[in-house]
Amino acid sequence: MTLIAAPSDTQAVEAARAALIFIPEIKTDSGSPSALTWPPTYFVTEIACVVTDANGNEIGRVKASARGEAEFSEFLDDFGLAAKRAATQVAQQLSSEIRKNEKLR
C-alpha cells in the first residue's frame, strides 16, 4: 500500500505501480445523551471509497459504517474508547466489503 497525495498525480501513481486507487471520504459524529458527560459516550464513523484504476476509471465503490460506545465508567482511563471501538469495527467492515467486491480482487 502506498499513499498518493492526489489521484491526478500520474507520476506518483506510476512510481507506485498502483493497480487500484482508493479515494476515501470519512465522516464522523459523536456525542453523549448527557450534557454533563464528555468525552462522548458514542462515536460514529463512516468511510466511503471510490475505487479507480491507474487511469482514473471508476472500478467500484465500497462503504462501511460503525458506532462505538463506551460508558462513563469505562473511559475514565481512555477518553477515546468510543472512537477506538468505532474505528476497529469500521476497519473490519471496510475490509470485508473490499473482499466481497469481485471487481476489487
Side-chain angles (χ1 to χ4, degrees), residues 60-76:
R61 293 174 181 254
V62 289
K63 185 177 182 178
S65 63
R67 179 183 172 109
E69 298 186 9
E71 295 299 321
F72 182 74
S73 60
E74 291 181 289
F75 62 67
L76 289 175

Side-chain angles (χ1 to χ4, degrees), residues 29-44 66-76 78-86 89:
D29 186 27
S30 62
S32 175
S34 170
L36 303 175
T37 303
W38 197 256
T41 56
Y42 73 86
F43 194 92
V44 179
R67 179 183 172 109
E69 298 186 9
E71 295 299 321
F72 182 74
S73 60
E74 291 181 289
F75 62 67
L76 289 175
D78 187 354
F79 292 148
L81 184 57
K84 288 177 184 176
R85 288 177 174 169
Q89 291 173 21

Side-chain angles (χ1 to χ4, degrees), residues 77-99:
D77 293 327
D78 187 354
F79 292 148
L81 184 57
K84 288 177 184 176
R85 288 177 174 169
T88 298
Q89 291 173 21
V90 79
Q92 291 170 348
Q93 188 181 60
L94 185 62
S95 177
S96 176
E97 291 299 313
I98 291 168
R99 285 192 310 271

